[in-house]
Amino acid sequence: MGQKKIKLQKVPKVQAIQEVKELNIDLGCGKNKQVGFIGVDRIAFDGVDIVADLAKAKWPWEDNSVDKAYCSHFVEHLDAVERVHFVNELYRVLKPKAAAQIIVPHWASCRAYGDLTHKWPPVSEFWFYYLSKDWRAGNAPHNDMYVCDFEVTWGYGLTPELMGRNEEYKAYAMKNYKEAVTDIIATFVKK
């Protein structure tokens, strides 16, 4: 009987591919967690992945470990000391150059005052300056509560009636009409 030749095929080397997952957190998510984010709230709503007190306790992430954060309509529920704790912890857990999108009701909108669980004062754009270490050094050297150092930019959510109007009219309305602006939409970037 003749021997059959078996042709061996070379199998390419298999390299382990490590899946890199971003750590994205949705702070104070309530029932509306962002897709692709870990939902965090003090109440165990459906969709909340981690129950945590973001106002007073140390957050459950390592320093410089979070890639992205999102927080919509939560910060206004914190008092002044809790807001300082929130931004200091946010700064601690974000990776350098990482960003957080923070949305709060605009201080001139009834949305800022209608929910009695909102705490005084309403969040205003001027607060964002205090989140920069350099700004504090030159303008508020007495204020040593903050350890964060963010570059903050912001824009506005407008009422639906203004969305189709031209930019000049929108700017006029934002300056002169109390209910023109609904939200402040800020981006905090860790320096």
Side-chain angles (χ1 to χ4, degrees):
M1 290 195 139
Q3 290 185 330
K4 288 187 179 178
K5 284 193 171 181
I6 299 174
K7 187 174 181 183
L8 297 175
Q9 295 181 347
K10 285 190 173 183
V11 178
K13 291 182 180 178
V14 178
Q15 295 180 352
I17 299 173
Q18 182 180 2
E19 183 179 332
V20 177
K21 268 194 147 182
E22 284 191 349
L23 176 54
N24 300 329
I25 55 176
D26 185 345
L27 304 167
C29 67
K31 297 179 180 182
N32 301 306
K33 177 177 69 171
Q34 296 293 297
V35 175
F37 284 70
I38 294 171
V40 186
D41 203 289
R42 67 177 182 82
I43 300 171
F45 293 114
D46 287 343
V48 170
D49 302 298
I50 298 174
V51 175
D53 180 0
L54 299 171
K56 296 180 176 112
K58 183 176 179 180
W59 294 2
W61 300 282
E62 298 295 322
D63 296 1
N64 304 306
S65 64
V66 173
D67 293 286
K68 193 182 307 178
Y70 179 83
C71 182
S72 179
H73 294 277
F74 171 72
V75 173
E76 66 272 14
H77 294 273
L78 305 175
D79 66 28
V81 172
E82 293 168 338
R83 290 177 192 177
V84 172
H85 174 77
F86 177 88
V87 293
N88 285 340
E89 279 296 288
L90 180 62
Y91 181 75
R92 180 185 67 78
V93 302
L94 282 176
K95 291 179 178 178
K97 308 291 183 202
Q101 184 177 55
I102 310 292
I103 303 170
V104 294
H106 189 269
W107 53 268
S109 168
C110 64
R111 296 175 67 155
Y113 307 96
D115 183 345
L116 298 180
T117 65
H118 292 182
K119 297 192 178 169
W120 192 261
V123 178
S124 78
E125 301 89 338
F126 202 77
W127 177 52
F128 302 144
Y129 292 108
Y130 283 84
L131 308 183
S132 166
K133 183 179 176 182
D134 290 340
W135 189 90
R136 289 191 308 274
N139 298 283
H142 61 283
N143 190 326
D144 60 357
M145 298 182 304
Y146 294 100
V147 296
C148 63
D149 191 14
F150 287 110
E151 179 179 321
V152 183
T153 56
W154 61 90
Y156 302 98
L158 303 177
T159 61
E161 298 81 16
L162 291 175
M163 296 312 292
R165 302 299 295 260
N166 66 45
E167 294 305 313
E168 183 178 277
Y169 184 83
K170 287 179 190 176
Y172 181 84
M174 288 179 3
K175 183 177 179 183
N176 295 290
Y177 300 142
K178 179 181 165 295
E179 294 296 330
V181 179
T182 57
D183 293 320
I184 302 172
I185 304 163
T187 302
F188 294 23
V189 176
K190 181 176 179 175
K191 293 183 188 178

